[in-house]
Amino acid sequence: MKPLLRNLAEMTAHRDHLRLEVSVLSTLLLQGRDTRVRALEMFTHDGETWLRPRSWSEGGSIVTSEYEALADPAAFALPELPELAKCIASGGKSVGRVEEHGHTLWMPVWLGERAHACLEITQPKAFTRHQRDVIAGVYLVYQNYQSLLDYSERDALTGLLNRKTFDEQFARQPGVESWDARQDPEVPGQWLAVVDIDHFKLVNDRFGHLYGDEVLILVANRLRSLFRSQDRIFRFGGEEFVVLLRSATLAQARMALERLRSTIEAHEFPQIGHITVSIGFAAAQGGAPVEVIGRADQALYFAKEHGRNQVRHYEDLVASASLGQKVAHDEVELF
């Protein structure tokens, strides 16, 4: 029991979702010498739910995937595990399968009404009553702690990631330091966009903050629906949102942001009518998070000052000298 308690203590010491996941798998791995464990990430692609192994046991240790969800060759559609699909559809907590080569137990990890991951445990023999009790206890601790972490990282109004989580998410972007958007615009890279609702103060002043909050919630919903599961969306406060687009070419990033702009413009908001957004974006490389945000902000301000309701790319504006004289001073760019 002591190793289990020690692992539980270590598990709840983490403030990072992936490290927490690795820790809980290590704890479950203690259940038997021949036990195998996996954490399956759930994501949506073309309207269908998919899973992919994000962390798993290998040689007595836990390893994690190097792939983004959509690019993972090990990903598979949820219907390939019909027992799990049925369990998730009914809001269940666990389901098992018995096969010749072993016994498997799946436990969906829920955040609110949505299952975002699943723990999988496989062993040659049937699970004993004691094993099931211990596994269920670890699972509940993990899910409750995941919920607490998620609550601390989310904006209370919109449910999007909040400002304090941005630096950590930015640092997780693969290849940010080595990738350069100027080398080849056709090479997928990382992009940061700042989205600002035009004339939002007038909405609050004319209709009240209750309708203003509803606009923010509906815009957040559009952001969630128009971007991929591998992208990250934040509310920075007020009417400003930030999007980290991962593994996209310049053309793909521009198309995704234009789609957002036109979708917001076409939507009729209750009582308010139509609103617009201005968007500035930049390559997410070549500096600290605050520097990259500063570049995207420059493009956003240009959009605001030149008619609003448009998408502007920082590197394009610099190349055309639209932002004025650029003066280099060590690693700081002044305008």
Side-chain angles (χ1 to χ4, degrees):
M1 185 61 72
K2 288 183 179 179
L4 176 61
L5 293 175
R6 185 167 58 249
N7 274 49
L8 284 174
E10 179 186 343
M11 185 174 82
T12 54
H14 294 304
R15 296 295 183 272
D16 176 270
H17 286 277
L18 185 58
R19 290 181 181 178
L20 176 61
E21 180 177 281
V22 170
S23 185
V24 74
L25 290 183
S26 298
T27 303
L28 293 173
L29 201 57
L30 297 173
Q31 293 309 299
R33 186 174 57 185
D34 298 319
T35 299
R36 302 190 310 275
V37 295
R38 293 197 301 178
L40 303 173
E41 179 185 4
M42 301 177 64
F43 61 97
T44 302
H45 178 54
D46 290 339
E48 187 177 10
T49 301
W50 286 67
L51 299 98
R52 61 104 178 203
R54 186 168 54 195
S55 306
W56 61 91
S57 57
E58 189 175 289
S61 301
I62 305 299
V63 296
T64 59
S65 175
E66 298 178 353
Y67 292 97
E68 289 290 330
L70 290 177
D72 196 332
F76 57 95
L78 178 59
E80 293 185 28
L81 298 178
E83 300 93 340
L84 178 58
K86 185 176 180 181
C87 175
I88 291 173
S90 63
K93 297 295 180 66
S94 66
V95 67
R97 172 194 286 180
V98 179
E99 296 178 304
E100 290 185 8
H101 65 274
H103 297 247
T104 300
L105 182 65
W106 291 290
M107 296 175 293
V109 181
W110 297 88
L111 285 178
E113 298 180 353
R114 182 179 66 89
H116 73 98
C118 179
L119 299 178
E120 177 188 274
I121 309 173
T122 303
Q123 64 181 33
K125 298 180 180 180
F127 293 93
T128 66
R129 175 68 178 271
H130 174 71
Q131 282 181 314
R132 285 183 173 272
D133 288 343
V134 171
I135 290 170
V138 172
Y139 162 75
L140 288 174
V141 170
Y142 174 56
Q143 178 163 272
N144 290 342
Y145 198 66
Q146 278 272 37
S147 297
L148 288 174
L149 280 182
D150 192 71
Y151 179 78
S152 69
E153 294 176 350
R154 299 283 172 178
D155 172 61
L157 178 65
T158 63
L160 299 177
L161 292 168
N162 58 28
R163 173 64 180 89
K164 71 178 183 179
T165 66
F166 172 77
D167 287 356
E168 178 187 330
Q169 292 286 337
F170 184 91
R172 287 185 191 173
Q173 295 198 109
V176 168
E177 295 302 323
S178 60
W179 177 76
D180 190 338
R182 295 167 296 183
Q183 293 177 354
D184 188 346
E186 297 303 316
V187 174
Q190 328 303 325
W191 307 90
L192 183 144
V194 181
V195 181
D196 191 88
I197 301 175
D198 296 326
H199 301 300
F200 184 71
K201 185 178 183 299
L202 296 179
V203 173
N204 280 330
D205 290 346
R206 182 177 178 184
F207 299 98
H209 287 275
L210 188 62
Y211 281 102
D213 286 350
E214 185 175 13
V215 167
L216 293 172
I217 293 170
L218 292 174
V219 169
N221 291 342
R222 293 295 177 280
L223 282 160
R224 260 190 294 263
S225 65
L226 291 172
F227 290 95
R228 305 162 299 176
S229 59
Q230 69 200 71
D231 301 323
R232 294 294 178 265
I233 309 166
F234 307 80
R235 183 189 175 198
F236 263 39
E239 67 272 29
E240 188 172 86
F241 303 87
V242 168
V243 181
L244 280 175
L245 293 96
R246 294 173 168 172
S247 301
T249 64
L250 173 58
Q252 290 169 337
R254 198 191 304 273
M255 183 182 301
L257 295 171
E258 281 287 356
R259 183 170 62 242
L260 170 65
R261 184 203 61 77
S262 61
T263 298
I264 297 297
E265 181 184 28
H267 183 75
E268 185 167 351
F269 292 80
Q271 185 68 25
I272 308 297
H274 292 276
I275 63 169
T276 60
V277 294
S278 296
I279 303 172
F281 75 106
Q285 50 76 226
V290 65
E291 295 177 83
V292 176
I293 289 178
R295 295 167 192 163
D297 269 333
Q298 289 280 340
L300 172 66
Y301 295 149
F302 188 92
K304 289 280 191 183
E305 293 170 357
H306 292 80
R308 296 182 170 85
N309 189 27
Q310 56 188 276
V311 178
R312 290 289 184 167
H313 177 215
Y314 170 82
E315 282 78 15
D316 283 351
L317 294 173
V318 170
S320 63
S322 298
L323 291 178
Q325 182 69 32
K326 177 181 176 180
V327 181
H329 178 67
D330 291 333
E331 296 182 356
V332 180
E333 295 177 348
L334 305 176
F335 291 86

